[in-house]
Amino acid sequence: PVLGVSPPPPALRPMEQVIVAMQDPDLGIKMKNQRLLITVIPHAMTGNDIVEWLMKKYSIMEEEALHVGDLLVRHGYIYPLKEPRNLVLRPDESPYRFQTPYFWSSQQWPASELDYAIYLTKKNIRKQGQLIDYEKENYNLLHKRINHTWDFVVMQAKEQLRASKQRRKADRIVLECQEQAYWLINRPPVECLTPRLSQRDRGKQSNTKCEHSSRMCPITHITKRTLVEHLKKALGRSRVKSSICLERYYSEQYFSHDPMMHGCPPSNPWITDDITHWALNTNTVSTPTKLRVERWSFRFMELLSDPLGRLKFMEYLEKEFSAENLCFWEACEDIRHGENSRIPQKVQEVYKQFLAPGASKWVNVDSKTMEKTLEGLRRPNRFVMDDAQMHIYFLMKKDSYPRYLKSDLYKNLLVKAIAPQETKRSVFPFMRRHRHSSPNPALVDELTAAPRGYGGCTVSLLQLYDSLPSFNCS
Amino acid sequence: MLRGSSAVAIDNERNKHPSDVIAAASAARARRSGRVGLATASRSTSDPHPAEMATHELHPNDTLTTLKMESENLKAKLEEERAKLHDVELHQVAEKIEALGQFVMKTRRTLKGHGNKVLCMDWCKDKRRIVSSSQDGKVIVWDAFTTNKEHAVTMPCTWVMACAYAPSGCAVACGGLDNKCSVYPLSLDKNENLAAKKKSVAMHTNYLSACSFTNSDMQILTSSGDGTCALWDVESGQLLQSFHGHGADVLCLDLAPSETGNTFVSGGCDKKANVWDMRSGQCIQSFETHESDINSVRYYPSGDAFASGSDDATCRLYDLRADREVAIYSKESIIFGASSVDFSLSGRLLFGGYNDYTINVWDVLKGNRVSILFGHENRVSTLRVSPDGTAFCSGSWDHTLRIWA
């Protein structure tokens, strides 16, 4: 806790840490008297001071320092003495001051109607008829709403004004500015709502907080017991040394494939408006690029997740008479991620095609796995093929995949692969290329480039959306 | 999740099937608010594993105090065990790696068209189209390359906080304050009203915070303000699996790119990041080092780790095999929360969109900030790298989306 104030909510803590550092007697901003017209305000600083201090303290550039300082002003931690209505940071000699912790947003004092009424009344008395439009509106609203305590409001306002008259002019100006800044934050004029962090920002953006936020659910005995059991289990899990895990992060091979780090041959379409890079890498291209073919050798998953890679791998497996493995794997994926209603049917088909004795595309699964799978077939579900699928997956990964990478088929692909040159920047960089549109995938199948059925989607999807009773709750 | 007396009732009902619990919770809520109709979530008959609700019987001597003490002890022990194997820091391992050079990224496209805060976006597999959703209920599909709008849907609710592109490119899913996730097939008939073909798939008892298709158009994973995540069958709208364990709103999720493809991670207002087994519904790993809400989680490309962005102004990296946090990405001058994070293709860079309108770019291995990108005029609410890593897209409360490269 700083200066006797309560700890801020987590979202505001980093901001307040900056403010505290700024006011450090030794390392903080050097404050001086600042001139405001004919008055001298003590313990103030200039906009420049703020920017320079931020730059030095956090080793950041001016743009960022200005940005951070501006946020501090916008949230009421620093207020301007000149043009106090305008909560921005000016990187010049404009004077600023730190807001007193009493008024910090994190204090969460409810900015009560009573306090606001007193403030507006003070202003009204001091500068008769000088309230701004939205303030006038608020004043009238409050006058109606808390009319029963209006005597109290006026009395308080008069008292506070009298007390402040007894202060020195400099102090009076400071207090007025502090208050003004506080109310600008807590009762901003609706038109110029400066965007800022509000305390309860979340999905409950509607004002009915209770309706939309669940926050922490009540801790009951049962949830606590559950947590304890969960922790016990977590304790028992095996872990790997950090040195082993972290070594794997550095993978030089991937860096050269990262367009943001190593460019993108021939050029990044977003930068040059030239879509050659995409055209060379579609799924139906006849000659893949060098980078792409290389990538298939990094990991088995890279090969399988590239539709073209998978196709080429299938060609290889066909030559080896082991294509049924990949077909089986694909069929299992279809079961796992397909429609729930078609699972029993698909499972039957897969069993007939791949697992039954004498099956046309029989796959070699070990006896234990086969037994388990057959047992599961009695009650077909999304995961019934998981064990068998994994067995075949690792079979391909350990055996077929390494041999594929050494095969002539793969080596030829590498040799024939396209390796476009990185194009130099256009001589006329301001000449905008025409940005060609591309067929919408809803119209054309991205994998095969075949046109989709009428209506835009594949026939099965279309049937899905058209024929089933809708669940519309409009 | 419900507060108040019905919450205890719900807890006691935990041994029921998850869909029954959700239905009951929804019924209770409906009754309270006077609305008619249950959120129907009928049980799928072909799943063999009724989701174990991860509940346990109370032991004879359990009191709240003893349980609290026990859990505190176990937590401390867990941290000890995790620390034992932590023999080196990530940035130490990264010392031998070359530092990144000067980093220049600029806004290459600005997509204007939303009339209010942009809340979420997702890329199409074709690497150039995106879907975005906003506070005013509009969901727009753009060809980000040409900046043309190709489809627009007006949702019946405001605050569409989640949207996702289907892997086939033929549909989009979205939802928000309507507590639902709906799928819209993308028709190219200009006269067709997309809203007419809408399919309501997911039903939660509180706002939808995130959604994602799994490997196909047929399954959707959702997270919600009701504290749960759930897996749904699109065709029938059936709940396939629910995931209970967060103690507050779940704000984000990401599917693991692993070989077996059976896990996902979620982050919530309880400051926890949980890794789930999609088959059993169990939480298999949990991390609690953030100091505030976790707004975004994203897997490292290899699937061995994931990053998180939080309201505590830090992003963190958690390794799954080491079972611990291995890096914190923070800077004293960054004083606002991170709303969304994503990795570049190789995983060397981590992009974070923040509530102070900026985007910070981090060197994942060395831990330092490489660049800060200005441009948005309000909070950055969503950020995704394109499927081929050539660019990333950021969406903001300033009503625009930007493509950076």
Side-chain angles (χ1 to χ4, degrees), chain B residues 34 39 42 63 123 128 176 184 204 237 263 266 284 314 328 362:
Chain B
S42 49
T63 68
W123 287 90
R128 49 188 284 171
Y184 291 84
H204 279 278
T263 60
S266 65
I284 49 185
T314 69
I328 305 184
W362 302 91

Side-chain angles (χ1 to χ4, degrees), chain B residues 243-258:
Chain B
F243 306 90
H244 294 252
H246 276 288
D249 309 24
V250 187
L251 300 176
C252 51
L253 57 84
D254 192 34
L255 282 152
S258 73

Side-chain angles (χ1 to χ4, degrees), chain A residues 337 440-447 452 456-458 461 464-465, chain B residues 121-132 139-142 151 162-174 181-187 199 201 211-221 234-235 255 384 387:
Chain A
H337 296 288
N440 191 311
L443 186 66
V444 171
D445 188 317
E446 232 239 327
L447 296 179
R452 295 203 193 266
C457 298
T458 57
L461 278 171
L464 171 69
Y465 292 120
Chain B
M121 61 82 43
D122 189 20
W123 287 90
C124 175
K125 283 225 164 102
D126 77 346
K127 309 155 192 170
R128 49 188 284 171
R129 283 177 172 77
I130 64 170
V131 61
S132 60
V139 175
I140 301 179
V141 173
W142 318 68
H151 306 269
C163 63
Y165 223 120
S168 68
C170 290
V172 292
C174 48
C181 185
S182 310
V183 175
Y184 291 84
L186 297 176
S187 158
K199 272 194 90 359
V201 175
C211 65
S212 172
F213 285 89
T214 62
N215 281 15
S216 81
D217 286 19
M218 298 301 154
Q219 282 171 3
I220 290 188
L221 189 61
V234 173
E235 181 189 41
L255 282 152
R384 297 294 295 263

Side-chain angles (χ1 to χ4, degrees), chain A residues 64 201 214 226 242 258 337 341, chain B residues 54 86 216 225 235 346 369 379:
Chain A
E64 191 177 355
D201 273 332
S214 54
T226 305
S242 289
D258 189 337
H337 296 288
S341 59
Chain B
H86 191 54
S216 81
E235 181 189 41
S346 63
R369 186 189 60 188
R379 163 188 311 217

Side-chain angles (χ1 to χ4, degrees), chain B residues 7 26-27 56 62 72 78 87 94 117 122 133 138 175-176 193 218 226 235 291 294 303-304 341 346 394:
Chain B
S26 172
H56 297 84
D62 277 350
E72 296 300 314
L78 183 59
D87 51 348
K117 308 182 170 96
D122 189 20
S133 63
K138 285 259 185 342
N193 179 12
M218 298 301 154
D226 67 12
E235 181 189 41
E291 295 168 15
I294 298 179
D304 293 331
V341 296
S346 63
S394 61

Side-chain angles (χ1 to χ4, degrees), chain A residues 281-473:
Chain A
N281 284 294
T282 64
N283 289 322
T284 51
V285 85
S286 52
T287 318
T289 62
K290 192 142 187 285
L291 278 178
R292 189 177 187 176
V293 178
E294 263 176 26
R295 206 162 146 188
W296 298 340
S297 69
F298 294 171
R299 273 190 332 209
F300 189 38
M301 246 350 242
E302 292 286 351
L303 177 67
L304 284 188
S305 43
D306 183 345
L308 190 65
R310 204 192 286 190
L311 198 74
K312 299 291 184 190
F313 185 52
M314 183 73 90
E315 280 171 21
Y316 169 75
L317 290 178
E318 271 160 10
K319 287 214 165 76
E320 298 264 302
F321 303 107
S322 56
E324 64 275 1
N325 286 339
L326 187 54
C327 294
F328 175 67
W329 183 84
E330 285 181 332
C332 292
E333 283 289 288
D334 192 37
I335 291 176
R336 270 198 327 157
H337 296 288
E339 302 95 316
N340 211 37
S341 59
R342 293 189 53 204
I343 288 175
Q345 172 201 353
K346 282 182 185 172
V347 166
Q348 275 309 306
E349 277 167 18
V350 164
Y351 173 72
K352 270 209 303 243
Q353 243 191 345
F354 297 99
L355 296 172
S360 56
K361 291 184 178 175
W362 189 77
V363 290
N364 193 1
V365 175
D366 69 283
S367 52
K368 196 163 142 213
T369 310
M370 181 64 99
E371 213 180 291
K372 204 165 162 205
T373 309
L374 290 175
E375 181 64 40
L377 284 182
R378 303 227 193 112
R379 283 195 68 210
N381 62 80
R382 232 159 61 246
F383 305 115
V384 72
M385 292 294 174
D386 268 14
D387 290 331
Q389 182 183 8
M390 209 145 30
H391 180 88
I392 296 297
Y393 175 84
F394 282 112
L395 202 68
M396 289 192 288
K397 181 177 173 183
K398 296 277 158 66
D399 182 37
S400 314
Y401 175 58
R403 284 191 292 112
Y404 171 61
L405 294 179
K406 298 200 190 98
S407 71
D408 288 334
L409 219 62
Y410 179 73
K411 290 196 180 136
N412 275 337
L413 274 174
L414 261 180
V415 164
K416 293 209 181 96
I418 301 177
Q421 289 279 52
E422 189 100 36
T423 54
K424 300 270 185 234
R425 273 299 168 87
S426 160
V427 178
F428 303 103
F430 299 107
M431 237 172 71
R432 251 265 296 261
R433 275 208 172 86
H434 178 65
R435 294 172 182 170
H436 295 276
S437 56
S438 73
N440 191 311
L443 186 66
V444 171
D445 188 317
E446 232 239 327
L447 296 179
T448 62
R452 295 203 193 266
Y454 168 77
C457 298
T458 57
V459 174
S460 62
L461 278 171
L462 193 66
Q463 281 172 344
L464 171 69
Y465 292 120
D466 274 344
S467 63
L468 294 171
S470 80
F471 284 80
N472 271 345
C473 306

